[in-house]
Amino acid sequence: MKVAFLVAPEGVEQVELTDPWQAVRDAGGTPRLVSTKPGRIQAFDHLDKADTFEVDQVVKDATVEEYDALVLPGGVANPDFLRLDKAAVAFARGFFDAGKPVAAICHAPWTLVEADVVRGRTLTSWPSLHTDITNAGGTWVDEQVKVCTDGPNALITSRRPDDLKAFREAFLEEFAKTTKGSAR
């Protein structure tokens, strides 16, 4: 299982990157850090700078075919930067077009709103995205984790760092289904 973690050069919530990353590794998968620029990304602990992480691949050079699944970590600034990058938005949309699972936590669904892939889907997020998701044609729910299969792929979403345990369990289950050949 090869999983793309799409993040902006700065603004990702560190625990929403590192916890799912470790879960993929622990499950025997290969996580890869994909960003809009080469070098290192700057993670944050809420509004404070945290660690930096080496980028494995620039999104303009990445293809959906290389990966089995996509994880979109949150952070307030991270998805806001991503949704302004056409290659990042197209990369995220490509997982839906290919029927591959996508997991997004906290503010990350902003990128999915920009990619126009939430229409007809039910998802959760940080509460402030409720109106954006609804306006984009999605149904927002206030749940710890939501797995939506009413579309071309599995969409796994969670609200906040406190939901990480449920988030990783849900996305690992859905990712395993896809890598075993039962993609939706």
Side-chain angles (χ1 to χ4, degrees), residues 82-163:
L82 287 177
R83 64 188 188 162
L84 293 173
D85 187 284
K86 290 180 189 207
V89 172
F91 186 66
R93 184 181 315 110
F95 282 84
F96 289 78
D97 294 342
K100 294 183 177 185
V102 173
I105 188 167
C106 205
H107 290 81
W110 264 338
T111 305
L112 302 178
V113 166
E114 190 66 31
D116 193 25
V117 294
V118 302
R119 189 174 320 283
R121 304 302 293 266
T122 301
L123 60 157
T124 192
S125 68
W126 186 256
S128 66
L129 276 68
H130 175 234
T131 301
D132 298 316
I133 289 167
T134 302
N135 287 343
T139 300
W140 186 87
V141 293
D142 185 10
E143 296 177 15
Q144 187 178 39
V145 66
K146 179 64 182 171
V147 178
C148 178
T149 56
D150 296 332
N153 65 336
L155 174 58
I156 306 94
T157 53
S158 275
R159 302 171 299 191
R160 60 181 56 95
D162 290 345
D163 300 334

Side-chain angles (χ1 to χ4, degrees), residues 157-177:
T157 53
S158 275
R159 302 171 299 191
R160 60 181 56 95
D162 290 345
D163 300 334
L164 278 165
K165 182 179 186 303
F167 179 61
R168 68 178 172 260
E169 289 171 359
F171 81 68
L172 285 174
E173 182 178 327
E174 291 300 321
F175 289 7
K177 290 178 187 178

Side-chain angles (χ1 to χ4, degrees), residues 70-83:
L70 173 66
V71 173
L72 295 168
V76 178
N78 177 53
D80 199 43
F81 288 136
L82 287 177
R83 64 188 188 162

Side-chain angles (χ1 to χ4, degrees), residues 7-12 35-36 40-44 49 77-79 81:
V7 299
E10 65 179 330
V12 68
S35 189
T36 57
R40 298 186 72 81
I41 63 112
Q42 175 66 63
F44 281 75
K49 285 186 177 181
N78 177 53
F81 288 136

Side-chain angles (χ1 to χ4, degrees), residues 3 7 10 15 18 22 24 34 48 64-65 67-68 75 77 83 88 90 95 97-98 129-130 133 146 182:
V3 180
V7 299
E10 65 179 330
V15 71
T18 58
Q22 189 61 49
V24 168
V34 179
D48 298 321
V64 171
E65 294 75 28
Y67 296 97
D68 298 305
R83 64 188 188 162
F95 282 84
D97 294 342
L129 276 68
H130 175 234
I133 289 167
K146 179 64 182 171
S182 63

